[in-house]
Every structure is written in C-alpha cells, then in structure tokens.
Amino acid sequence: GQNIDQPTEMTATEGAIVQINCTYQTSGFNGLFWYQQHAGEAPTFLSYNVLDGLEEKGRFSSFLSRSKGYSYLLLKELQMKDSASYLCAVREDTDKLIFGTGTRLQVFP
Amino acid sequence: EAGVVQSPRYKIIEKKQPVAFWCNPISGHNTLYWYRQNLGQGPELLIRYENEEAVDDSQLPKDRFSAERLKGVDSTLKIQPAELGDSAVYLCASSFDENTEAFFGQGTRLTVV
C-alpha cells in the first residue's frame, strides 16, 4: 500500500534551522517532491529529489535516501514568512503523485 | 507566463445540487491533475490526465464525480449530486510531463450546505 508519514506540527524560532522528516512506503519510486503551502493558498514547488543525496536551493535543502524510504527538508535562517505547511509527495512508478498529510510549521519571533 | 487558472474560487451549494469546476493548465503542459484537499490534510488525487486521456481515475468516486479534458487542454470536474462530505478545496495542477514538478492553481473552495 501507500504510506507517507510526516510530523503533524513543528515549531521553531526565527533565525533557527528546522528539519522536517518524511518517510514513505509506496508502489515503486520515481521521485520525491517538497511543496510549501500557506494557509488558504495553493501548494508551491520547493524541491525535487530522484537520486540519493542532498539538493540545496538557497535557504532550503532536501535530502533523499531511497534505500531507507526517507527524506528531509532543511530550512535555514528561518523567517516568519516560512510559517506554512510543508508537503512531502512521492511519484510512484506509475507516475501517480501521492501527498503526505503535511507538516504545519510555526515560526516564532 | 500565466499559471494554472481555476474558477470559481469559491462555491456554496445545497446538497443534491450539481456543481462544476473549471481548470486551464499552463500552456504546453500535457499532464493535468485534479486533487481534493480537506482541511489539515494533504491533497488527495482524484484523476490524472495525459493529454486528453484519463490515465488514473482509480480514486474518483464515479457514481457522482465526472471529469473531462477535451482537446487535451482545459478540464472540468463535475459533482452530481453533491453531498455534505464533498465540502473541500478542489485543486487543479499541471506539469509538462509525468517526470516534472506539478504547478497548482488557487483551487476552488466548495461548501455544501
């Protein structure tokens, strides 16, 4: 079956670093995506990993270990505007894109 | 470049009434998705199109939901009749192909009363 697990909520302080974990069990694997979603808005694309390792893009980095079915999103130098939900999504080998329930991050001053 | 456009943004209907949502994907994007998102949850795939062909509709409640993507561009999603449990945000997304990231529209927030 399909299962994507993320923590429901996290809190952090402005300027800090936070790591949001995602574990998955899916029917095959063809890439993992991270999306950011502010309340009442559409998800926006953050990162894509298909090979093992770390992808860095500015303040955001994403890591993938396919053998462990594990990914994390690392947010550095947190800003208040980073308060949002972060969605982990896996593309299965059938090209179906499956989303986790999301991690709601609150950044405090 | 225009993003994914959906309409309407909001819709309130009484139960048992029909409702339709419209989506115009990014130009040149062959893959189109319809997702449903309940409050505090991640998006749940309803149907995926590759051009005009529905390649995955396994999670579409076919007794009341229908979708079409004529000419492989715009798409409509219909619910008839609507039930209270259909209240959710309906998101449309598109991608160039099945291997690239999906871009989402603003969604249609449906409230069934």
Side-chain angles (χ1 to χ4, degrees):
Chain A
Q2 311 159 344
N3 198 34
I4 299 177
D5 288 320
Q6 308 178 230
T8 304
E9 290 191 3
M10 297 183 72
T11 59
T13 305
E14 197 174 15
I17 299 173
V18 70
Q19 177 175 312
I20 303 174
N21 296 323
C22 171
T23 58
Y24 62 88
Q25 289 179 305
T26 55
S27 301
F29 178 84
N30 201 14
L32 186 143
F33 298 81
W34 283 95
Y35 282 81
Q36 179 191 60
Q37 187 176 28
H38 286 98
E41 297 184 11
T44 55
F45 169 76
L46 288 178
S47 69
Y48 171 63
N49 294 71
V50 66
L51 299 176
D52 289 353
L54 188 69
E55 294 282 340
E56 297 186 80
K57 189 186 291 186
R59 294 188 300 115
F60 293 2
S61 303
S62 57
F63 172 82
L64 174 67
S65 170
R66 288 173 297 171
S67 63
K68 296 181 179 178
Y70 168 70
S71 173
Y72 67 73
L73 180 68
L74 193 70
L75 292 76
K76 304 175 185 176
E77 301 169 15
L78 280 174
Q79 302 175 9
M80 297 296 290
K81 67 179 182 179
D82 297 330
S83 294
S85 288
Y86 291 85
L87 301 163
C88 174
V90 173
R91 175 162 279 143
E92 298 184 318
D93 53 7
T94 58
D95 295 324
K96 177 184 288 189
L97 188 59
I98 308 295
F99 281 82
T101 56
T103 299
R104 185 180 170 193
L105 174 67
Q106 285 189 286
V107 180
F108 293 99
Chain B
E1 178 185 331
V4 177
V5 179
Q6 291 187 248
S7 68
R9 285 294 309 277
Y10 305 92
K11 189 75 176 179
I12 301 174
I13 61 170
E14 293 184 343
K15 61 182 180 183
K16 300 183 182 180
Q17 294 302 306
V19 64
F21 314 125
W22 175 80
C23 173
N24 179 235
I26 293 173
S27 177
H29 280 195
N30 299 314
T31 306
L32 184 145
Y33 311 80
W34 282 103
Y35 285 88
R36 175 171 59 191
Q37 187 173 27
N38 290 303
L39 190 63
Q41 300 295 312
E44 172 194 0
L45 180 68
L46 293 174
I47 190 168
R48 173 168 64 96
Y49 283 93
E50 296 294 339
N51 297 302
E52 65 272 15
E53 182 183 359
V55 296
D56 185 351
D57 63 356
S58 58
Q59 299 192 96
L60 189 72
K62 297 181 182 64
D63 57 333
R64 298 184 299 107
F65 286 64
S66 64
E68 61 182 12
R69 190 184 184 197
L70 300 176
K71 299 182 181 179
V73 182
D74 294 2
S75 177
T76 56
L77 178 69
K78 299 178 182 178
I79 308 174
Q80 183 170 10
E83 296 179 353
L84 295 176
D86 296 331
S87 295
V89 176
Y90 290 83
L91 294 164
C92 178
S94 71
S95 61
F96 178 73
D97 60 31
E98 64 273 13
N99 295 314
T100 54
E101 70 270 24
F103 294 85
F104 284 82
Q106 292 290 329
T108 296
R109 182 178 296 276
L110 174 68
T111 302
V112 182
V113 297

